[in-house]
Amino acid sequence: MERFDGRTAVVTGASSGIGRASALRLAEEGANVVVADIDADGGRETVDLIEDAGGAATFVEVDVSDTASVEQMVDVAVESYGGLDIAHNNAGILTGFVETTGIEEAQWDRIVDINLKGVWACMKAELPVMVENGGGAIVNTASEAGLVGMGGLSSYSASKHGVVGLTKSVALEYATRGVRVNAIAPGPTRTNIQSGVVGGGGSSLRDRVGRVVRLLKTVVRTLLADYDTSAMREVPMDRIADPEEMAGAVAFLCSDDASYITGHTLPIDGGQAAD
Ligand code: NAD
């Protein structure tokens, strides 16, 4: 008997990185998984990986900043598997390093729309279904940047602080309605986002060229802005994380092993929060 046998999970941002690892882990432990992402190619790869390992998964294309698209994502979970028990609201983007006065309005809106409004939109659609089902567990992906400030990443940090506050507030609202709401705060993790990606994590030649160009722009902006990224907080464990190390914590928080835990943001950061 696996921890998530008979349960249905939706994971946003599941086409790569932390979301893919989480989708694989939840499926491995028995959940039917709705793999949700704006990147269809990567999402279908995740579904293939789950099915090759003997699990059940369905891909749905979603833009988490669009409430209608998010409602449709939850409809797919209900139509495909009869309900929704678990949600990992994880899709997010990162900017390059830029000082606050250099952020363009459209950039600010995009970060907040995806990283913060997207998490709210997901919970707005998921919560009624979970309550109707008799309960559920939600994990939102915040960041170490949601717990401390980060010079050069103020829009990202603000959006992730928002996710922490949103998580606490919704946890209080649903504490007696059977839905637990927690968040993870990853430290630096080996994913596409770490290479300066703004947006999707596709694997086509165009996506990869785009990533290299954005990475170079990030490096140039960083040098011009005189931001010393090496001054970013050191990791006491002296290594960056693998996405699977996030997925293990997500699975724990979604499981009945965490039945008395709600409203928390768990740093998974190689010791950074202790420093
Ligand atoms: P990633 O780029 O590999 O994955 C992000 C996924 O989100 C991609 O598959 C992308 O296509 C998807 N996405 C982007 N915009 C979307 C949208 N509008 N709608 C739906 N999907 C969308 O990066 P990751 O590191 O796996 O990021 C996952 C989460 O972890 C993000 O919220 C990120 O902020 C957070 N995080 C990452 C790190 C790290 O070091 N990697 C650290 C702290 C927090």
Side-chain angles (χ1 to χ4, degrees), residues 165-183:
L166 182 62
T167 299
K168 288 181 190 170
S169 304
V170 179
L172 294 177
E173 289 176 5
Y174 283 81
T176 58
R177 286 186 265 179
V179 183
R180 294 183 301 98
V181 188
N182 292 292

Side-chain angles (χ1 to χ4, degrees), residues 12-19 36-39 62-65 89-94 110 114-115 141-145 156 160 185-194 197 199-202:
T12 69
S15 291
S16 70
I18 293 169
D37 204 292
I38 204 164
D39 166 22
V62 68
D63 177 351
V64 294
S65 65
N89 301 319
N90 164 79
I93 59 169
L94 178 68
R110 188 163 144 69
I114 295 174
N115 290 5
T141 298
S143 169
E144 190 215 350
Y156 180 77
K160 293 297 187 178
T189 308
R190 202 182 315 277
T191 69
N192 288 336
I193 222 171
Q194 275 290 329
V197 171

